[in-house]
Amino acid sequence: MKTLFINACVRENSRTMILAQHVLDKVGGDITEVNLEKENIQPLNSETLKRRDEVLKQGSHSDEMLKYAVEFAEADTIVIAAPYWDLAFPAMLKCYLEAVTAQGVTFYYDDNGMPAGLCKAQKVVYVETCGGPCEGFNFGFDYVKGLCTLLYGIKDVVCFKAEMLDVIGMDVDAILAKAKEEIDSSL
């Protein structure tokens, strides 16, 4: 089993990474990590979008430009770790998802013009930690879930989170332990 781990954690001693490691221990498999801070993926612009369109038109998926999309499409399980920033996630995750969303690799349009998935994964596990509350305004997870279910064809998309970690007086260890218990009972 191939597990793809998308790591958008940037802080040393990241609490999101603590929960992500717990998830990775549960799902196992042959784990490939994409550390987004080290990858330095740039957003598409007119030049790179034109180049990608040309590469996709050729039908070859071996071009370096499609490596993230191919890797994502071929994974059996995907784990995404991203802290909750500005009601969503770090911008580097958006750039990664932009690189992954490639017509003919991770999705295609059917005869009715509707998107259909090409991804092998059966499950995406999204892991996040929040300094305050993130319930009700979790545009990061909602965006990832939308991409996975509507474009990539991955129907089982779950989120494990630990909230209120920066609120004075909260027991951070207890909150993380509770999140780990939820992971244990669900995976």
Side-chain angles (χ1 to χ4, degrees):
M1 183 177 87
K2 293 186 213 173
T3 299
L4 180 62
F5 173 45
I6 293 73
N7 178 358
C9 302
V10 297
R11 288 192 170 117
E12 193 174 326
N13 303 314
S14 165
R15 299 173 297 200
T16 308
M17 182 57 111
I18 290 168
L19 290 184
Q21 189 58 60
H22 194 76
V23 168
L24 291 169
D25 291 345
K26 295 291 286 183
V27 298
D30 181 20
I31 299 170
T32 299
E33 179 179 354
V34 178
N35 184 321
L36 297 181
E37 187 172 34
K38 292 179 182 174
E39 295 295 317
N40 195 28
I41 303 166
Q42 298 300 305
L44 290 172
N45 58 36
S46 59
E47 182 182 318
T48 54
L49 188 58
K50 181 180 176 184
R51 182 170 176 277
R52 184 175 79 172
D53 288 345
E54 290 169 2
V55 167
L56 289 170
K57 207 178 269 186
Q58 293 170 3
S60 172
H61 295 168
S62 62
D63 191 283
E64 181 71 12
M65 182 171 231
L66 299 177
K67 76 176 187 175
Y68 299 113
V70 169
E71 190 174 54
F72 194 94
E74 292 177 353
D76 297 305
T77 301
I78 299 164
V79 177
I80 301 172
Y84 184 73
W85 287 5
D86 304 328
L87 303 179
F89 47 64
M92 63 184 154
L93 180 55
K94 172 66 171 106
C95 292
Y96 170 81
L97 292 169
E98 198 172 75
V100 163
T101 306
Q103 185 178 342
V105 182
T106 52
F107 78 101
Y108 69 99
Y109 291 108
D110 68 18
D111 293 338
N112 297 317
M114 298 303 294
L118 292 171
C119 292
K120 183 179 167 185
Q122 298 297 305
K123 186 177 203 78
V124 172
V125 180
Y126 188 85
V127 180
E128 70 182 341
T129 55
C130 318
C134 60
E135 196 64 42
F137 295 100
N138 198 337
F139 302 119
F141 174 66
D142 291 343
Y143 178 74
V144 169
K145 185 174 183 178
L147 280 177
C148 290
T149 58
L150 300 174
L151 281 182
Y152 306 150
I154 307 168
K155 301 302 180 202
D156 189 2
V157 184
V158 297
C159 179
F160 296 106
K161 63 184 177 238
E163 301 178 80
M164 309 296 281
L165 297 175
D166 293 338
V167 175
I168 295 171
M170 299 303 283
D171 185 343
V172 172
D173 292 334
I175 294 169
L176 290 172
K178 183 177 179 191
K180 288 178 182 179
E181 287 174 14
E182 183 180 337
I183 291 165
D184 290 342
S185 68
S186 300
L187 293 180

